Amino acid sequence: MTDLTELGVAQIRDGVAGGEFTAVEVAEAFNANVAAAQDALNAFIVTTPDAAIDAAKATDAKRAKGEALGKMGGVPIGMKDLFATRGVQTTAASHILEGFRPEYESTVSQKLWDAGAGMLGKLNLDQFAMGSSNETSYFGNVISPWRRNDGGNAALAPGGSSGGSSAAVSARLCPAATGTDTGGSIRQPAAFTGITGIKPTYGRCSRWGIVAFASSLDQAGPMARDTRDCAIMLEAMAGFDPKDSTSLDMPVPQWEAGLSADLKGKKVGIPREYRMDGMDAEIAALWDQGVAWLKDAGAEVVEISLPHTKYALPAYYIIAPAEASSNLARYDGVRYGLRDLPDGANLQDMYAATRAAGFGAEVKRRILIGTYVLSAGFYDAYYTQAQKVRTLISQDFAKAFEECDVILAPTTPTASFALGEKSDDPLSMYLNDVFSVPASLAGLPAMSVPAGINREGLPLGLQVIGKAFDEQGVLNAGLAIEQRAGFMAKPAKWW
């Protein structure tokens, strides 16, 4: 029999529906991979093998009765531990929520279960989704399944915050996983681990039941092996939710059916501001290769300008921490989660002790930044100015899309780096998001597609950015790159 763990979402869905294998066989195969890799990769905070088997049994029972199996029928997935899952620990990788078991299900996860998916477990991440290397988790680092080919054995970052998701998909622990993207947390880890991930238009996927980081930026999306699998999973995840005031009241397009790598009549924009001094030569060369691939697919390539790009990162690192400082105020030891109550402590002492013990260093750093920029005397100087810059960035994109249909750019400025290499340099870590943050600030759909391998044997990704609501255009350009890149590399198994 084919190694079932080498199959993607579409292959599993179609194979189960066609009777080539059962959903239970698929779930058992992936459960075995999860168990075998857990100590080495630390991709999961909680594993739920029984939940995966139960969902698989339900799918097999439906097939036996001749009932429709759903878009994700028989597909076991990993769930980023930012999504509330009823009765299953949901921590956002933070000590302050350790042991919290929600009495409700997030809208996105419920949609996936309704579509026939099963849950293999809750995936590790940077604490409260704050990080680019998955080193800020209270439950320990996620280790990338990739290794450099230089003979060394340095543990590499799987990207962040969705590092558990990227590592698990790349290592064949699951065929797909949920991620969330605030400033690049789907696209950057996808690029680091040689998989595909898409952040849809802000509002496409409900935020209800997702632990909040920055509410005006957070957006859920799929991470999978290829473009088609992302399209399938995004169809299952997306849709209007009256419980989320920012949810788009729009029908969900049939993205899988609309997939086409023929880009005749389309224009691809190349932003001149993204060609930065000191850019990695291999990244620049891959970008040029991506241009050639899209020309081969029939697209016309035009140069565009996004003049406020250089202000995107500083604006983001004002807006996101400001929203985080507000959202994380709810973790006070009173209602749920950790409570640290020293002897003789008053209420203020309990707040301080609980938050000091429960939050990690990066979370505390961002809360402090956010509180500072929102404080009296600094609100207008920082936060208001950052929001004005955000508007200018959105206007830049709107003007650029008068000249093109999609934009092509690198996903990250470098390939993956060693764990610990940047952990003492927050500014260097934040610069990982330089290419991904602008689309997040503008709320635009954007995806990363694996497109090459660097001289160290590590994956590199290309990013496609689209107009608001045009996930189809993004997916189609991604498919054109995918078909021409022929990226088939996977990490050599060492765990």
Side-chain angles (χ1 to χ4, degrees):
M1 180 185 287
T2 302
D3 181 354
L4 297 177
T5 62
E6 289 295 329
L7 303 181
V9 172
Q11 294 166 308
I12 292 170
R13 177 199 63 185
D14 296 346
V16 169
E20 297 174 35
F21 39 78
T22 68
V24 168
E25 288 173 332
V26 174
E28 288 174 341
F30 279 104
N31 276 339
N33 274 13
V34 169
Q38 183 56 17
D39 289 344
L41 301 182
N42 196 35
F44 287 84
I45 293 174
V46 172
T47 58
T48 56
D50 292 342
I53 295 296
D54 288 346
K57 287 179 178 178
T59 294
D60 288 338
K62 279 187 174 183
R63 184 182 180 279
K65 295 175 185 176
E67 298 177 6
L69 302 187
K71 290 183 175 69
M72 298 284 290
V75 181
I77 63 171
M79 184 64 59
K80 185 176 181 179
D81 196 26
L82 212 59
F83 294 80
T85 43
R86 184 184 296 110
V88 179
Q89 179 177 261
T90 300
T91 68
S94 178
H95 181 40
I96 209 161
L97 278 174
E98 187 175 12
F100 173 57
R101 289 174 174 78
E103 294 297 323
Y104 57 92
E105 192 79 31
S106 78
T107 297
V108 164
S109 56
Q110 188 61 60
K111 282 179 174 289
L112 288 164
W113 312 149
D114 292 345
M119 183 168 70
L120 293 160
K122 303 296 292 292
L123 289 157
N124 206 346
L125 64 146
D126 280 299
Q127 190 171 159
F128 282 102
M130 299 179 191
S132 300
S133 63
N134 226 139
E135 292 177 275
T136 71
S137 171
Y138 175 73
F139 300 95
N141 303 344
V142 176
I143 310 297
S144 172
W146 290 82
R147 287 288 186 266
R148 291 176 176 141
N149 61 11
D150 58 6
N153 199 34
L156 302 180
S161 66
S162 306
S165 301
S166 66
V169 173
S170 182
R172 278 49 179 175
L173 310 189
C174 55
T178 57
T180 61
D181 193 308
T182 304
S185 290
I186 286 174
R187 291 161 285 158
Q188 185 250 22
F192 274 13
T193 57
I195 66 169
T196 303
I198 180 168
K199 178 196 84 69
T201 305
Y202 179 79
R204 272 288 188 199
C205 295
S206 172
R207 292 185 298 109
W208 195 84
I210 300 175
V211 178
F213 167 14
S215 301
S216 73
L217 294 158
D218 297 345
Q219 187 59 199
M223 302 174 74
R225 308 262 180 83
D226 58 34
T227 301
R228 185 184 182 195
D229 286 357
C230 281
I232 294 167
M233 191 169 171
L234 185 58
E235 277 187 49
M237 295 170 66
F240 175 64
D241 180 8
K243 298 192 294 294
D244 176 4
S245 63
T246 62
S247 179
L248 292 169
D249 192 358
M250 299 172 68
V252 177
Q254 294 183 321
W255 289 305
E256 182 190 10
L259 285 174
S260 171
D262 183 357
L263 302 185
K264 288 184 178 66
K266 301 295 183 182
K267 291 184 178 181
V268 177
I270 307 300
R272 65 175 67 98
E273 290 81 7
Y274 280 38
R275 291 198 181 274
M276 300 175 176
D277 292 340
M279 177 186 285
D280 185 303
E282 290 179 295
I283 298 282
L286 185 68
W287 192 8
D288 291 337
Q289 181 62 68
V291 170
W293 285 331
L294 293 181
K295 284 181 179 177
D296 183 67
E300 178 186 347
V301 174
V302 297
E303 187 177 76
I304 59 169
S305 177
L306 298 170
H308 294 94
T309 291
K310 62 183 176 181
Y311 304 117
L313 209 58
Y316 172 84
Y317 278 103
I318 289 172
I319 294 168
E323 295 185 14
S325 72
S326 177
N327 278 323
L328 271 61
R330 70 193 69 174
Y331 304 108
D332 53 15
V334 176
R335 287 158 287 192
Y336 50 82
L338 178 71
R339 174 180 294 174
D340 193 326
L341 186 61
D343 291 341
N346 59 27
L347 186 63
Q348 186 64 39
D349 294 335
M350 186 191 74
Y351 288 163
T354 297
R355 291 166 69 81
F359 291 139
E362 182 60 29
V363 174
K364 291 174 183 175
R365 179 183 291 116
R366 297 200 194 193
I367 289 173
L368 288 169
I369 292 170
T371 303
Y372 177 80
V373 301
L374 291 177
S375 61
F378 298 102
Y379 186 95
D380 288 336
Y382 293 103
Y383 185 72
T384 301
Q385 288 297 103
Q387 291 288 18
K388 289 178 180 177
V389 170
R390 183 179 191 174
T391 299
L392 292 172
I393 289 167
S394 294
Q395 291 172 349
D396 285 350
F397 277 111
K399 186 175 181 181
F401 282 125
E402 293 175 1
E403 304 174 43
C404 65
D405 297 287
V406 295
I407 294 169
L408 180 70
T411 306
T412 60
T414 68
S416 179
F417 47 84
L419 291 169
E421 196 172 289
K422 300 187 178 185
S423 55
D424 293 329
D425 185 358
L427 183 58
S428 177
M429 190 73 78
Y430 296 167
L431 287 170
N432 273 283
D433 302 329
V434 66
F435 295 129
S436 56
V437 156
S440 293
L441 287 171
L444 300 174
M447 76 182 298
S448 180
V449 180
I453 294 287
N454 74 357
R455 62 183 178 278
E456 295 179 321
L458 300 180
L460 300 174
L462 287 174
Q463 179 182 200
V464 179
I465 304 169
K467 303 172 185 176
F469 321 123
D470 187 25
E471 286 81 5
Q472 192 70 68
V474 172
L475 289 162
N476 288 351
L479 181 64
I481 292 170
E482 180 182 287
Q483 290 183 354
R484 286 156 180 79
F487 187 93
M488 300 296 290
K490 63 178 184 178
K493 189 171 181 180
W494 53 265
W495 56 90

